[in-house]
């Protein structure tokens, strides 16, 4: 719990019960993306408006980032250390499993030599790699002994 309170303090946020519970959930699932429904199912006495506001405050302050994948659900994951209100350092790829719908952050910075016109301003880049995770990959189940 100390780590959760410290992160809220570091980002100059009040330590409310909802913020503490939601941030605890993200920290317990570090590297894994969560949907609103995942959080609603796990946090007691939480209404959708409060959850929405909490997620927006966390995102604005560099605690979490949004992930868009082909599931059609907005997902959120914990930002790496060093993100803040003015700059997110989440220029990394995400892996979305088509079998179990799990989305994870992939370590490594996304670099591209795409030529964007100089008059354009890029605000964010989304790279999602899709396929099958270890558990869902049928190739892995063939090689497992029973």
């Amino acid at each position: 719990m100390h780590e959760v309170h410290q992160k809220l303090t570091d980002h100059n946020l009040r330590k409310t019960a909802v913020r503490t519970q939601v941030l605890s959930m993200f920290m317990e699932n570090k590297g894994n993306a969560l949907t609103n429904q995942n959080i609603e199912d796990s946090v007691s006495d939480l209404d959708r408006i409060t959850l929405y506001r909490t997620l927006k405050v966390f995102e604005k302050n560099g605690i979490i980032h949004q992930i868009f994948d082909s599931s059609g659900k907005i997902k959120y994951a914990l930002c790496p250390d060093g993100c803040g209100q003015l700059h997110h350092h989440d220029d990394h790829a995400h892996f979305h499993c088509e079998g179990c719908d799990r989305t994870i952050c992939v370590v490594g910075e996304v670099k591209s030599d795409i030529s964007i016109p100089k008059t354009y301003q890029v605000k964010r880049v989304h790279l999602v790699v899709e396929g099958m995770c270890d558990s869902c990959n049928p190739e892995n189940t063939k090689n497992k002994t029973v």
Side-chain angles (χ1 to χ4, degrees):
M1 193 61 68
H2 173 72
E3 191 178 359
V4 171
H5 285 172
Q6 187 60 51
K7 189 169 270 299
L8 291 170
T9 299
D10 291 347
H11 289 272
N12 298 314
L13 296 173
R14 286 185 303 119
K15 296 169 198 74
T16 66
V18 169
R19 287 178 181 173
T20 300
Q21 286 180 297
V22 172
L23 184 53
S24 291
M25 197 171 167
F26 277 105
M27 292 179 89
E28 289 167 11
N29 290 281
K30 194 172 187 171
N32 291 303
L34 303 173
T35 64
N36 290 21
Q37 193 63 52
N38 297 139
I39 299 166
E40 283 180 37
D41 292 346
S42 297
V43 178
S44 59
D45 299 325
L46 179 64
D47 66 88
R48 287 186 176 160
I49 305 281
T50 303
L51 175 58
Y52 175 80
R53 288 180 182 153
T54 300
L55 293 173
K56 288 300 163 199
V57 165
F58 284 179
E59 187 178 14
K60 179 182 174 191
N61 284 278
I63 294 175
I64 62 173
H65 61 279
Q66 275 191 15
I67 300 168
F68 302 95
D69 61 29
S70 63
S71 70
K73 302 172 203 151
I74 296 174
K75 297 179 180 180
Y76 300 90
L78 198 61
C79 283
D81 290 336
C83 287
Q85 190 171 21
L86 300 176
H87 187 67
H88 278 268
H89 300 284
D90 48 288
D91 299 333
H92 58 270
H94 297 93
F95 182 88
H96 176 242
C97 178
E98 296 170 331
C100 63
D101 196 35
R102 192 174 120 195
T103 302
I104 63 165
C105 295
V106 179
V107 177
E109 190 174 318
V110 175
K111 295 184 181 187
S112 171
D113 61 352
I114 296 171
S115 181
I116 305 291
K118 291 182 188 217
T119 56
Y120 288 24
Q121 179 187 18
V122 176
K123 291 193 175 190
R124 61 192 68 78
V125 175
H126 300 280
L127 175 62
V128 177
V129 179
E130 297 195 341
M132 299 292 233
C133 70
D134 262 3
S135 299
C136 297
N137 186 349
E139 293 296 316
N140 289 340
T141 56
K142 279 196 288 187
N143 299 326
K144 289 182 182 174
T145 57
V146 180

